Amino acid sequence: KAGVTQTPRYLIKTRGQQVTLSCSPISGHRSVSWYQQTPGQGLQFLFEYFSETQRNKGNFPGRFSGRQFSNSRSEMNVSTLELGDSALYLCASSNTGTSGGSYNEQFFGPGTRLTVL
Amino acid sequence: AQTVTQSQPEMSVQEAETVTLSCTYDTSENNYYLFWYKQPPSRQMILVIRQEAYKQQNATENRFSVNFQKAAKSFSLKISDSQLGDTAMYFCAFMKTSGTYKYIFGTGTRLKVLA
C-alpha cells in the first residue's frame, strides 16, 4: 500500500503571497490531519478533515484553511503569508472514527518545507 | 483542554545503553490513548508504541517499552540497547477515545545515540 504523499516537498514564497499544499492519504483512509512543525513548538494541530467535512480545528488564524475532496485527498491553503509561517507542514491520515478502523494510528507524510522570505 | 509536556528538549545516550524519555499530560478524561512517535532526521514520522489508558499493563514493542502511570498522568518511553538508528525526535501524543479524535502532541525530545 502506498504511503501518505505530500506535494510539493519544498516551497519558497515571499510575504503576502498565498500557497496551496496537497496531501494524498493512504488508500481507504478518510481522516486527514494537518500540522505545523517548528523548532521548539513541536507539532501544532491545524485542522482535521473526515469525509470532506472539517471535524476538528486548531488555534490558527483564518489565513489557514483547508478542504478535502471526495477521494480523501486534502489541500491546505495559507493566504497572505508571513515570515512566521515558515515551517514544515505535515499531513497525516488515519482510519480513526471509522468502524473497523485500524486503531487510531496516524500515518505521516514526508512534509512540505515552506520558507517565507 | 488537554496538554502534553515533554520536559527534556535534548538527550543523548551511548550505544547499547538504556534511556528514558519523559512525558506528562493533563486531562480530565478517563478513556484515551497515548502514543510515542519517532521522527528520524529527514525521514517520515512513524509510530513507536501505543497505550490504551484502560489497560494497566505497560505496552512493549521489542526494545521500546513504556511506564504508564495513570494517576500521575505520566507516560515515559524506555529504549533499551540503544542503537544508532534510534537517533531521532520523539514526540509524545494524546488522543481521547471519543468525540473529536484530535491528537495533542508534545514539543518533542531530540535523542542522539552516540557511538
Side-chain angles (χ1 to χ4, degrees), chain A residues 4 9 35 37 40-45 48 55-58 88 90 96-97 102-110, chain B residues 33 35 37 39 42-47 50 52 54-55 89 91 95-96 99-108:
Chain A
V4 178
R9 293 291 311 278
Y35 297 88
Q37 184 179 5
Q41 292 290 317
L43 273 73
Q44 301 289 309
F45 173 75
E48 183 225 0
R55 188 163 65 173
N56 287 293
K57 189 176 187 310
L88 180 67
L90 294 171
T96 299
S102 67
Y103 228 32
N104 305 307
E105 176 179 355
Q106 291 208 322
F107 295 82
F108 284 83
Chain B
Y33 296 101
F35 308 83
Y37 280 84
Q39 186 181 40
S42 301
R43 292 176 60 189
Q44 287 171 238
M45 184 120 62
I46 57 172
L47 178 68
R50 166 178 46 219
E52 290 95 336
Y54 68 88
K55 290 187 177 178
M89 279 289 286
F91 292 95
M95 194 191 81
K96 292 194 300 183
T100 63
Y101 303 106
K102 189 167 82 171
Y103 269 65
I104 308 296
F105 282 85
T107 51

Side-chain angles (χ1 to χ4, degrees), chain B:
Chain B
Q2 291 81 22
T3 59
V4 176
T5 302
Q6 293 178 251
S7 58
Q8 305 150 313
E10 292 187 3
M11 296 186 73
S12 62
V13 62
Q14 289 294 135
E15 199 175 5
E17 297 291 306
T18 295
V19 64
T20 299
L21 280 57
S22 300
C23 173
T24 58
Y25 58 95
D26 187 25
T27 184
S28 58
E29 300 288 326
N30 193 45
N31 296 315
Y32 47 87
Y33 296 101
L34 294 163
F35 308 83
W36 279 98
Y37 280 84
K38 169 185 177 181
Q39 186 181 40
S42 301
R43 292 176 60 189
Q44 287 171 238
M45 184 120 62
I46 57 172
L47 178 68
V48 174
I49 199 165
R50 166 178 46 219
Q51 173 83 40
E52 290 95 336
Y54 68 88
K55 290 187 177 178
Q56 293 186 335
Q57 186 172 7
N58 289 325
T60 300
E61 288 286 342
N62 302 312
R63 298 183 295 106
F64 298 87
S65 62
V66 299
N67 183 3
F68 173 49
Q69 303 287 327
K70 190 173 184 180
K73 296 180 182 173
S74 170
F75 183 61
S76 60
L77 174 69
K78 185 171 86 170
I79 306 174
S80 304
D81 185 26
S82 297
Q83 300 175 0
L84 297 178
D86 295 333
T87 293
M89 279 289 286
Y90 288 83
F91 292 95
C92 178
F94 166 100
M95 194 191 81
K96 292 194 300 183
T97 57
S98 63
T100 63
Y101 303 106
K102 189 167 82 171
Y103 269 65
I104 308 296
F105 282 85
T107 51
T109 294
R110 185 177 301 280
L111 176 68
K112 188 169 184 179
V113 180
L114 307 171

Side-chain angles (χ1 to χ4, degrees), chain A residues 3-11 19-25 32-34 47 65-69 71-78 89-92 108-113:
Chain A
V4 178
T5 58
Q6 291 186 245
T7 56
R9 293 291 311 278
Y10 301 91
L11 211 45
V19 66
T20 299
L21 312 181
S22 181
C23 171
S24 293
V32 174
S33 298
W34 287 90
F47 29 65
S65 63
R67 60 177 172 168
Q68 187 179 34
F69 302 96
N71 61 358
S72 292
R73 190 177 71 85
S74 177
E75 288 183 347
M76 189 191 95
N77 185 275
V78 187
Y89 290 88
L90 294 171
C91 160
F108 284 83
T112 295
R113 172 78 61 188

